Amino acid sequence: MLAIEISKALILGFTVGLTGALVPGPMLFATIETSLKKGWLAGPEVVIGHMLIELVLCVLILFGAASLVGSGTISAVSLLGGLALVVFGLLTVKGAKAASSSGMSSNKGGMNLTSSPAAAGLITSVSNPYFWIWWLTAGSALVLREYELGIIVAVSYVIGHWLADLSWFTAVSGSFSRGKSLLSQKAHEIIMYACGIFLVFFGVWFAINYNNPVLFS
């Protein structure tokens, strides 16, 4: 039973993490810029910096989880998190076409991030408002929900989330280090639409399932 829950948490973490990784942002541009000079290893190094700040956030979330489990707080957080997932999904669908046409181009604005890819990953994460909004709403709700099934399940979810980041940004850096784009504009657009729709449906399921578990028992 525990093995099944761990597997489900890994898959969920990977799927939800991938929907966030695919959305163009400062971290993607940092990965492209650094990979052009440092090769495919720039992607994993950028993710390491990103993971460091997420590790701190996850520890803080789990550190306070023991006092929240069993109270009405997690229920409220889960509802808020589900609604946040729906909003993120709708925004992803809305911006899919624009993101696909601009998300895979290099950052010509000229941020000098090539000296330390790990530092670039950390800085671009901390400076991204989307990152904080995600972790203060949907991210924390998902981690707390998995924590109710056990600390190992919660950790598995986070690992799945990190594997999604590592897979995507390694693929991006590997592609751009060879001087070519990973996905066509149309393919990227289709994937963005699919991810957005997934987030909307999963957000609704998440909110209803937690607050009315009998509906999905």
Side-chain angles (χ1 to χ4, degrees):
M1 187 67 177
L2 179 60
I4 295 176
E5 294 299 335
I6 290 175
S7 299
K8 288 167 59 178
L10 282 169
I11 294 172
L12 177 62
F14 185 89
T15 306
V16 174
L18 189 61
T19 63
L22 284 167
V23 177
M27 188 170 155
L28 175 63
F29 297 137
T31 301
I32 294 173
E33 182 176 347
T34 55
S35 65
L36 292 174
K37 293 188 176 182
K38 291 185 174 291
W40 73 270
L41 283 174
E45 290 182 36
V46 169
V47 173
I48 288 175
H50 175 72
M51 286 169 55
L52 287 175
I53 185 64
E54 288 195 328
L55 176 61
V56 173
L57 288 175
C58 288
V59 169
L60 291 175
I61 292 170
L62 293 175
F63 183 76
S67 62
L68 294 175
V69 171
S71 70
T73 306
I74 285 188
S75 180
V77 170
S78 297
L79 179 59
L80 178 62
L83 293 176
L85 286 169
V86 172
V87 172
F88 288 135
L90 292 174
L91 290 175
T92 299
V93 170
K94 180 180 179 182
K97 184 175 289 294
S100 64
S101 61
S102 64
M104 300 308 293
S105 59
S106 63
N107 179 24
K108 301 185 185 300
M111 285 193 296
N112 185 17
L113 299 170
T114 57
S115 59
S116 176
L122 192 151
I123 293 170
T124 53
S125 297
V126 172
S127 62
N128 186 0
Y130 181 93
F131 174 84
W132 293 105
I133 294 172
W134 170 265
W135 276 106
L136 290 174
T137 54
S140 60
L142 288 165
V143 171
L144 288 174
R145 179 66 181 86
E146 297 303 319
Y147 178 80
E148 284 197 305
L149 300 175
I151 184 67
I152 296 178
V153 178
V155 171
S156 298
Y157 169 82
V158 175
I159 290 175
H161 181 92
W162 286 342
L163 286 175
D165 288 335
L166 187 62
S167 300
W168 171 247
F169 287 105
T170 299
V172 169
S173 63
S175 176
F176 276 88
S177 67
R178 296 182 176 86
K180 58 186 178 181
S181 177
L182 177 64
L183 293 174
S184 67
Q185 179 177 331
K186 188 63 178 178
H188 194 200
E189 181 181 343
I190 292 173
I191 292 175
M192 291 288 290
Y193 278 126
C195 288
I197 292 171
F198 167 79
L199 281 182
V200 170
F201 280 99
F202 180 73
V204 172
W205 179 90
F206 184 80
I208 295 177
N209 183 41
Y210 184 81
N211 292 282
N212 298 283
V214 68
L215 294 179
F216 292 87
S217 58

